[in-house]
């Protein structure tokens, strides 16, 4: 049984560019959350998608947007990249009905903005 | 509002010694509490969770944690440290009900195990 998968593993972008990160949830899971983990910090909640809608959003600017597809996979898009967007981006999936209390994390995408 | 404080950004123990990682939380409603472990260059792995059942929770790899409402604490312990336990540990809080689905994490505690 495959766990949560994310692509790409690493990414280097230039300030001002746009980036798309991808996540496939664990089999049987229909909810996807995205977190940003800056170096030396705990993960910060960006948003959660359920039934292809953004269900909850953290304190992140509109430059951060997302999408969920009918197969429950998800994308995180970041526009107009800033140096401060350099971080590990983690995707977590949850099975139906469990909300936040059963989140399984993927290995993350390491984004470096130069 | 909910928050998590992990006391001690770095804990160092000897192999075979007791591991104690401290976590205090703040939540206006009964919380769900979690401990995650992160090995270098990897994602987060769930160690254990408290969701209002037994206050002493047993997790994977010999770890356990006790929910103490009066102290608003959820400290993680392991009787005997192994070298393979060296990693970063994160405490997180959430709560059921309403429209909150996010996990709020502490800043993490780096555990070093010395031979």
């Amino acid at each position: 049984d495959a766990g949560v998968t994310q692509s790409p593993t690493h990414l280097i972008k230039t300030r001002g560019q746009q980036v798309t990160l991808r996540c496939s949830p664990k089999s049987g899971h229909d909810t996807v959350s995205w977190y940003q983990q800056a170096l030396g910090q705990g993960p910060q909640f960006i948003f959660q998608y359920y039934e292809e809608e953004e269900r909850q959003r953290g304190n992140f600017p509109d430059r951060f947007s997302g999408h969920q597809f009918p197969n429950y996979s998800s994308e995180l898009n970041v526009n107009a990249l800033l140096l401060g967007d350099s971080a590990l981006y983690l995707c977590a999936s949850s099975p139906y009905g469990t909300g936040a209390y059963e989140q399984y994390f993927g290995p993350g995408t390491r984004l470096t903005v130069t | 509002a909910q928050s998590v404080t992990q006391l001690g950004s770095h804990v160092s123990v000897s192999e075979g010694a007791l591991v104690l990682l401290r976590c205090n939380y703040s939540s206006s409603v009964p919380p769900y509490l979690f401990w995650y472990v992160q090995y270098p260059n990897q994602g987060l792995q769930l160690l254990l969770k408290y969701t209002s059942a037994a206050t002493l929770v047993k997790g994977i790899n010999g770890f356990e944690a006790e929910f103490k409402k009066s102290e608003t604490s959820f400290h993680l312990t392991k009787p005997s440290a192994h070298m393979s336990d060296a990693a970063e540990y994160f405490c997180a809080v959430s709560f059921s009900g309403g429209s909150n689905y996010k996990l709020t994490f502490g800043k993490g505690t780096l555990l070093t195990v010395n031979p």
Side-chain angles (χ1 to χ4, degrees):
Chain A
D1 177 26
V4 179
T5 60
Q6 294 186 243
S7 64
T9 305
H10 295 89
L11 204 53
I12 300 175
K13 289 287 189 178
T14 303
R15 274 180 301 175
Q17 286 188 318
Q18 179 264 345
V19 68
T20 298
L21 311 181
R22 295 177 176 82
C23 171
S24 292
K26 189 175 168 63
S27 177
H29 290 189
D30 60 357
T31 302
V32 173
S33 303
W34 287 92
Y35 292 80
Q36 180 195 65
Q37 185 179 17
L39 200 60
Q41 300 294 318
Q44 298 288 318
F45 177 77
I46 303 175
F47 41 54
Q48 185 180 87
Y49 276 83
Y50 173 67
E51 292 188 337
E52 302 180 46
E53 297 283 336
E54 182 183 290
R55 180 157 73 171
Q56 185 180 7
R57 188 179 183 90
N59 294 324
F60 279 81
D62 292 344
R63 299 186 297 108
F64 290 76
S65 63
H67 188 76
Q68 186 179 35
F69 299 93
N71 67 353
Y72 309 124
S73 67
S74 177
E75 288 182 349
L76 164 66
N77 300 293
V78 186
N79 295 322
L81 284 167
L82 304 173
L83 294 179
D85 295 332
S86 294
L88 180 68
Y89 288 85
L90 295 164
C91 170
S93 72
S94 313
Y96 173 77
T98 63
Y101 64 82
E102 197 167 339
Q103 294 193 13
Y104 295 85
F105 285 80
T109 294
R110 173 73 63 187
L111 173 65
T112 301
V113 182
T114 61
Chain B
Q2 55 196 43
S3 65
V4 173
T5 301
Q6 291 185 240
L7 301 175
S9 60
H10 187 195
V11 170
S12 182
V13 300
S14 298
E15 193 173 18
L18 171 71
V19 175
L20 171 60
L21 304 182
R22 300 178 186 273
C23 172
N24 288 89
Y25 70 90
S26 171
S27 178
S28 56
V29 296
Y32 291 159
L33 293 158
F34 310 83
W35 276 99
Y36 284 86
V37 61
Q38 186 174 37
Y39 296 99
N41 299 315
Q42 294 189 26
L44 302 176
Q45 181 182 9
L46 180 64
L47 276 178
L48 50 80
K49 62 185 178 186
Y50 166 78
T51 56
S52 75
T55 56
L56 182 62
V57 180
K58 294 187 183 299
I60 61 172
N61 301 338
F63 285 95
E64 63 181 37
E66 185 173 8
F67 172 67
K68 293 187 176 181
K69 183 178 179 181
S70 61
E71 299 176 8
T72 61
S73 69
F74 190 59
H75 302 332
L76 181 70
T77 61
K78 182 174 180 178
S80 177
H82 294 169
M83 297 295 290
S84 60
D85 295 327
E88 184 124 32
Y89 292 79
F90 292 94
C91 182
V93 64
S94 181
F95 59 90
S96 65
S99 59
N100 178 68
Y101 305 98
K102 70 178 183 180
L103 292 173
T104 299
F105 286 86
K107 292 186 176 181
T109 298
L110 180 64
L111 175 66
T112 302
V113 181
N114 303 307

